[in-house]
Amino acid sequence: MSFNDDEAFPRGGHRQKNDTKKENGFKLRTSDTEKQGKDLFKIHSNVSDALQTKEVKSKKRKRFQEEKKQQQKNRKTQHDKDDKEKVTDITRVEQLSYKLITPGMLVLACISEIYDFELRVSLPGGIVGMVSIGNISQAYTDMLHKLTGGNQEDLEDLKSLKDLFHRGQIVRCKVMGITFSDVGKSSVELSINPVDVNEYIGMVGLKHEMVLESCVASVEDHGYVMDIGVKGIHAFLRSTAAAAFIQEYNAGSSLAIGQHVTCLTQLSDAEKRSTDVIRSISLTADPAKVSKAVFEFTDKVGLHSIVPGTIVEAVIKQVVPTGLSVQFLTYTGVVHRTQLRKVGESTKNYTARQKLKAVVLHIHPTSKLVSLSLNKMAFNQFASVTPSRIFPGILVGDKFMNAPVTQVDKGRGVYLKLTDSVHAFASLSHLSDKAGLSAVTPEFSLGSTHKCRVIGYDVMDRVVMVSMKKSILNQQFLRYEDINVGSIVKCEVSKFRPDGLSVKLSGRINGFVPNIHIADVVLKHPEKKFKKGEQIKCRVLVCEPEKHRLLLSNKRSIVETTLPVICSYADALPQMLTEGVIVHICETSLLVVFCNNVKGLVPRSELNRLNIRYPSRVFSVGQVIKCRILQCNVEEQRLTVSLNCAGDNSFQKKIVKVPENFEIGKLVSVEVLSKTDSGLNVKILSSGDAAFLPKSHLSDYIEMCQLLYDAYVPGNRILDCVYHDNSTLLIVSKKKSHVDATQSGLMMSDFGHVQLGMMGAGTLKQVMSYGVFVEFFNSVTGLVPTRLMADQRVTSPSEPYKVGQSLIAKVTDVDTEKRRFLLSLRMKDVFDDSTAPGLDMLANYWNEYDYIRDAHMNDEGLLGQLTRLSVGDIVVTTVAQVAAHGVVCRVGEEVEGLIIRAHLADKACKEGDVLEAVVLHVDMLNRCIELSASPDLIKHMKHLRDNKYGEIKPDQVLKAEVQLINDNFILVSLKGHAMGRLAFLPARKHLNDIVETSQHTIGQINTIVVKRVIGGRVLVALQLQEKKEGRMQVLLERAASHKTDGSKNLHWAAAEVGQTHDAEIISLRDFQANVVIGDAKGRVFISEVVDKLQDGTCPLQGLQIHDVARVRIIGTHDVKTHVHKHLAITQPYRVKTFFDCSLKPSRVEGEGVLTAAELLGYQNDFKKDQRVQAFVDGYHSNCLWVHVTPTVMGKIHRLNLSEDLEVLRNPTQFFALGRGYNATVLGKNNDKLELTFIGKTELAENDVVNAVITKVTPVDIFLQLPFGFHAKSSLPDISDKYKDCIQKKHHEGEIVKCCVLELNSVNMATVSLRLSRLKPASKNVITDAEVHFEHVQPGSLLKGYIVSSGSSGVFISLAHNLTGRVGCGDVSDDYVKDFREALPIGKVVTAKVLSVDSDNKWVDLSLLPRDTGLPDVVPSEHRTARIADGKRKRKRSQCDEKTNERATKVKKKKSRLEVADKAEMSDGSTPKKSKNAVYTKESIKN
């Protein structure tokens, strides 16, 4: 009988009387119920009756509630009992399959393959799943997010999946999802993240000695923080608890973040008894403990606390042919027959009520059915379960002719026996080629034999997967390892991809054919030529079995070739003919690839021999060419090939024939046909002949070439081109300098017509260290040596000159025999001081700019928005970023602009501010604009007078303010009546003008002359250039008036030292300006130009040729000049005297006439700490050489150049020729001044300085410091965090910062590289602090580096001035074979201090585990157990015993001598000195 609500709380009406009966231990009386029903609405007459009735009702209600709770408990118990009986009563045990597997299921699995971004996992039942790299652990995923986000900090510990896992590793997985394809294949997505695997455990579910899947979250000093996936629980694995696992299964290496370890929970007795929720837990990874841990029965255990891999004690309840039904803990589980103790074992070997141990295999999330395994390998979850170990000698692809059937599973397949110890399984789909089999046919009955082939492994079920299909038995390949590179294979087209064809060689092997290998010609639509399922023949190019990567080629010339196939660099023999495929084309070489990624280079010399100037016009990527092997270096994997093969001229078919009316320099118009990477394929409009227009010949401006290339489209017509070359291709040029050369006589097209003094327009072809090569029309090429490149000295030709640059060159030397000639690019040789070349260049620049702008005017993207902006437009911008040099703002949604500080007018801007600005330049190449927010300029632009009063005409002279400095033009704003107008000033006077820094500055006011007004643009020139001829005439007249007819001296007789005169600058050199005073010559050295020098500037750049300046003559110098008109014996040379002049205002403006001694006395009188001007001459031998005076040179060591490490690493990029710096004198050495650019002149302790590493040894790092000091850094002073062999992260020649600890002796120091020393104020994490001797106490633990080990013990460096010794007996409890191999130099160890000798600074240490509490520092392979009764049984080594005996004797003798000395001193006598009165470390050792 059961109670319900109506019975418990009746609402009136008639009720049946029930007899008194017991149920669940409670008596139910009818009288009480009836009485309750009768008296329910009774009104009591007095208070006592009411209280009595209330008390009776209260007792009944309390008893009823207790009875109801007991009934609910009984119903639940009965329901659980019924469920268990229902589960226990089984007739068949199902094996895990794709039908039974479901998301949320926990499964014990084995890793079968490891890829770069995922793991292939083998599950029971032959199921294969994949674990992506994002399902490893949360800590590992966070590190990957940092890596993809560009944060490279703290990623040293990020390991690849191959470093974290190994094949055969047992892991616990959770099924995240299952995907079924259209062809019937299923893919299982798994996760091994502890957060997913241990999701159901919770805080309450954690028990003592519970096996968990854990993952390393972080590495700490004394262990590892582990992620067990339980929220609110902090798990820690101590180093001692992980030592056994690391030594046995991790090759002695420490654990890494993301590495999975099967651990065992460890609870203390207090934690076991406590009822509070556990917040932290300790783990152990000891394989012996984990493998033997059995989950014990407790009252509070739940199914959520059981995870796969848990070992339980079970009792067999029922035995069926397909498996066992067992009872464990309070649950029922099943064991499939494939998971019995032995493979192929019958269930008849097991009986009911038999006790055994089992491992949980998988748990169904909904039915709660638990599957277990009796497999011995499942108990040891640390061992590797690999196919080679379980199935020795069995490989994929092996065939077995007579394999008997041992078991038949009608719904799944059959089991066969291959060998005595190896069984196999063939699923229904692999019994026959017939599709749709639903059950095993009679022909596969027990005992029948069949032919089968191995197709895979099921390591969890310990069976080999085989197939009996004839199609698989006859297949050529089943493994990637069976495919040979270079062989011919048959494959089937399976899929069309944008980058190629996917093909199938067999059911398990797929390949890929790239687009360039689909056919001999490039196919835009390969699906029109090939059909899905079509059989094709291919040659294997690359096969990588570990990556399952197979590249094939379907080119007929590759497949059907009869030449040798190169598959390795060793196969490439000299003079061998073979065929390869072009994969890359550049202007100077070709890259050819063969099989197995063997690559060969066709060098420039081979292309020149065949007269191929533009390879992209002759060859194409993917083209098959015949080549000859020239040389091969197998070790360096370098292969050089040649296209010069007899009888092979296939590539010559593309060479264009020259038309009859061809003439070099003839003007033609062309039409664009197509584009290549190096230029445009065009058609001559007049004749229809094909030609080629190189990209570098589209413009005289290199940056315009790319913009014009993008602007031209097929069908565009290009006017005014010239025939340029006809060597192998018909080449035309659009360069304005080349077009004008045909009319101005600057065309050189034949070496026979080259004459001395001839000038020509050319293109820079090649840049070398000794000069540049300039190419003219018809491939005529000349050399410009370094000395003739510019008026100033050029140290690095690659800086001012670029390939493709247009130049005007003058012939200086012709060698007709060798057909070579030399050229000059100097401005004084090719430039006549006219303003026309610069204006012509600027006009051509804007013509090309307008064409590019018009071509993109209708574009909708960013380029289209830029073309709709013009110089002078006023726009509204929003500040997006504030930087040191200015602000980055945004105009509209996509256009970005830059406003430099000079154009902000001291405005304080912040992000989000809205500014009004004027457009100064629209940069098409960099896709941005340059703006000015100057209020004055905006005001003038708004009030522009667009009438006759503001009209600008040529030859008008105006004032102008510089607003923008560009490489090609100077933008100025005009003053006066043209206020608000912008004009353009040429930045370069000539094509050869390579002045890197402009002579103009923002805001500078100049006087200009309007020269041209073209298309609304005003082109102007400086008025200074216009007056040069008039000034030259005045100087000549002045010089003539001071001449005397009888004067034949080399200098003007009226000029004397100390006087001031007007001088004209006639030329500029690197370190001096040559001047003339009248008809006398002199020089102004670079150090005599300015009084106050700004670092990094060149005073000579402010001077111009033909300028007249006031100078003071400060001395003279003689120059020997050879005269070739006389014999060398009679008159070998003549002496010319030149004036030394000064432009310094302090000298020129001084009063009176100064003597030479007064003016030049400073040149050789330098003192320490004196400040001087130094001008860069060059950098070599780790020193920067400078000029201080005309006769005194100085040098600055590399470390004295700057305190910035970036400057010291690349000094040549920061110190250009002729730049001046203020230096401090350190001293003088061999007539050379020792200088420094930094403020310090001496070295002191605790100074942080730059240093260069000169040598790295296993125990020290030697460095060179500034001011001639040498230093040494010991291992403990290298870093704040100790690491093994930490010195290896540094190398010789590296520049570092260091802190001076001690100045030991003359020019010797001890330094530290610790960051805490370099930046003491910063909050740096100091993992291993410095050790000081005064803080060392016996019993303390110290970290250090091993610096020596041998028979005398182990010496550990604790600090730069402190080394401790470990006796042989204090190293290990076991016998150590070889200390040098066991404890290498540079290893970090932790030792315990045994004793401290303050007098001699001795520290005795111990490495014994019982002293340090850490694992034995000696690896197991280097130590053996001590013999119990043999000679090896000792606590200390023999050398320690002898040392201790000697030390004891010395101490006794010392004490006796001290007693004797005290006795003598008490008598008043002087104690006698003894040789043993003072004891040192060396004396005691001896």
Side-chain angles (χ1 to χ4, degrees), residues 498-512:
D499 52 348
L501 291 179
S502 293
V503 296
K504 183 183 295 184
L505 275 73
S506 64
R508 296 172 178 268
I509 298 180
N510 297 317
F512 180 68

Side-chain angles (χ1 to χ4, degrees), residues 247 252 1284-1285 1346-1351 1353-1354 1368 1371-1389 1407 1415-1424:
Q247 292 296 329
D1284 291 344
C1285 300
I1346 296 176
V1347 294
S1348 177
S1349 58
S1351 58
V1354 178
C1368 297
V1371 175
S1372 175
D1373 289 328
D1374 297 331
Y1375 176 74
V1376 181
K1377 301 176 183 178
D1378 189 344
F1379 284 96
R1380 290 184 177 87
E1381 293 183 3
L1383 300 173
I1385 295 175
K1387 181 179 178 64
V1388 180
V1389 293
L1407 295 175
D1416 202 321
V1417 296
V1418 180
S1420 57
E1421 61 269 16
H1422 293 287
R1423 51 188 167 92
T1424 57

Side-chain angles (χ1 to χ4, degrees), residues 7-21:
E7 293 171 342
F9 301 95
R11 299 183 182 275
H14 177 72
R15 291 188 59 182
Q16 294 182 352
K17 295 182 179 181
N18 297 326
D19 298 334
T20 301
K21 59 190 294 186

Side-chain angles (χ1 to χ4, degrees), residues 906-922:
D906 299 330
K907 289 183 180 179
C909 300
K910 61 181 183 297
E911 293 185 7
D913 287 352
V914 178
L915 301 176
E916 197 175 30
V918 177
V919 178
L920 300 181
H921 179 52
V922 180

Side-chain angles (χ1 to χ4, degrees), residues 858-1130:
N858 297 325
D859 292 354
E860 298 181 356
L862 174 59
L863 199 57
Q865 297 180 31
L866 290 173
T867 57
R868 289 185 278 275
L869 293 173
S870 301
V871 175
D873 290 348
I874 299 177
V875 296
V876 178
T877 67
T878 304
V879 177
Q881 182 182 355
V882 179
H885 59 274
V887 297
V888 178
C889 51
R890 191 173 295 277
V891 180
E893 296 181 357
E894 299 182 12
V895 179
E896 287 188 349
L898 174 65
I899 306 177
I900 62 175
R901 287 292 177 189
H903 288 149
L904 286 174
D906 299 330
K907 289 183 180 179
C909 300
K910 61 181 183 297
E911 293 185 7
D913 287 352
V914 178
L915 301 176
E916 197 175 30
V918 177
V919 178
L920 300 181
H921 179 52
V922 180
D923 192 343
M924 298 285 190
L925 186 63
N926 297 312
R927 304 292 196 270
C928 66
I929 59 177
E930 297 185 57
L931 304 167
S932 173
S934 173
D936 294 338
L937 182 61
I938 297 174
K939 178 181 178 181
H940 296 160
M941 297 297 296
K942 288 182 177 180
H943 297 85
L944 173 66
R945 291 191 299 179
D946 192 10
N947 50 32
K948 65 178 182 179
Y949 299 104
E951 185 179 359
I952 299 177
K953 298 180 181 179
D955 298 329
Q956 287 181 345
V957 179
L958 300 169
K959 294 289 184 179
E961 181 181 355
V962 177
Q963 299 291 343
L964 177 67
I965 301 174
N966 190 275
D967 293 338
N968 300 305
F969 62 88
I970 308 295
L971 181 68
V972 297
S973 59
L974 302 180
K975 304 292 184 181
H977 73 280
M979 186 77 71
R981 288 290 185 93
L982 299 177
F984 299 93
L985 184 69
R988 298 167 59 193
K989 298 177 289 186
H990 193 267
L991 286 174
N992 297 14
D993 190 0
I994 59 169
V995 177
E996 297 179 3
T997 58
S998 175
Q999 301 173 4
H1000 304 273
T1001 57
I1002 302 296
Q1004 178 181 342
I1005 304 297
N1006 296 319
T1007 303
I1008 56 95
V1009 178
V1010 178
K1011 302 300 294 183
R1012 305 176 190 177
V1013 180
I1014 305 174
R1017 292 189 182 92
V1018 181
L1019 307 185
V1020 299
L1022 291 176
Q1023 187 187 30
L1024 184 64
Q1025 295 178 350
E1026 294 293 314
K1027 294 183 177 181
K1028 276 188 177 181
E1029 294 183 0
R1031 186 171 64 248
M1032 283 291 297
Q1033 184 65 29
V1034 171
L1035 289 173
L1036 292 176
E1037 292 177 357
R1038 183 188 299 175
S1041 64
H1042 289 287
K1043 282 187 178 181
T1044 58
D1045 297 337
S1047 177
K1048 297 182 179 180
N1049 296 329
L1050 296 176
H1051 58 85
W1052 184 24
E1056 295 180 0
V1057 174
Q1059 294 180 349
T1060 58
H1061 296 275
D1062 289 333
E1064 180 196 2
I1065 301 174
I1066 58 174
S1067 65
L1068 295 173
R1069 296 292 181 262
D1070 294 338
F1071 300 100
Q1072 67 184 35
N1074 295 328
V1075 298
V1076 291
I1077 304 173
D1079 58 353
K1081 294 183 179 180
R1083 69 177 179 185
V1084 178
F1085 194 74
I1086 192 171
S1087 61
E1088 292 296 323
V1089 178
V1090 294
D1091 288 318
K1092 293 183 179 180
L1093 177 66
Q1094 185 178 358
D1095 288 345
T1097 61
C1098 181
L1100 293 180
Q1101 289 185 352
L1103 305 179
Q1104 293 287 335
I1105 299 177
H1106 305 307
D1107 283 351
V1108 177
R1110 195 72 174 176
V1111 299
R1112 184 181 290 275
I1113 302 176
I1114 59 176
T1116 60
H1117 67 279
D1118 296 332
V1119 177
K1120 297 179 180 179
T1121 58
H1122 291 275
V1123 180
H1124 301 287
K1125 297 180 180 180
H1126 308 277
L1127 293 176
I1129 298 176
T1130 59

Side-chain angles (χ1 to χ4, degrees), residues 604 613-614 696-697 699-700 702 724 735 737-738 760-768 771-776 780-784 789 796-809 823 825 991-992 994:
R604 175 198 294 269
R613 298 186 61 247
Y614 294 95
S696 60
H697 278 268
S699 172
D700 285 326
I702 297 178
H724 188 270
K735 284 180 178 286
S737 59
H738 287 43
T763 304
L764 199 148
K765 180 181 180 182
Q766 189 178 5
V767 179
M768 305 298 290
V772 297
F773 289 92
V774 179
E775 182 184 48
F776 301 94
V780 176
T781 305
L783 172 65
V784 183
M789 284 185 182
S796 178
S798 60
E799 293 181 3
Y801 295 106
K802 306 297 179 184
V803 175
Q805 183 176 344
S806 298
L807 298 166
I808 304 295
L823 302 167
L825 300 178
L991 286 174
N992 297 14
I994 59 169

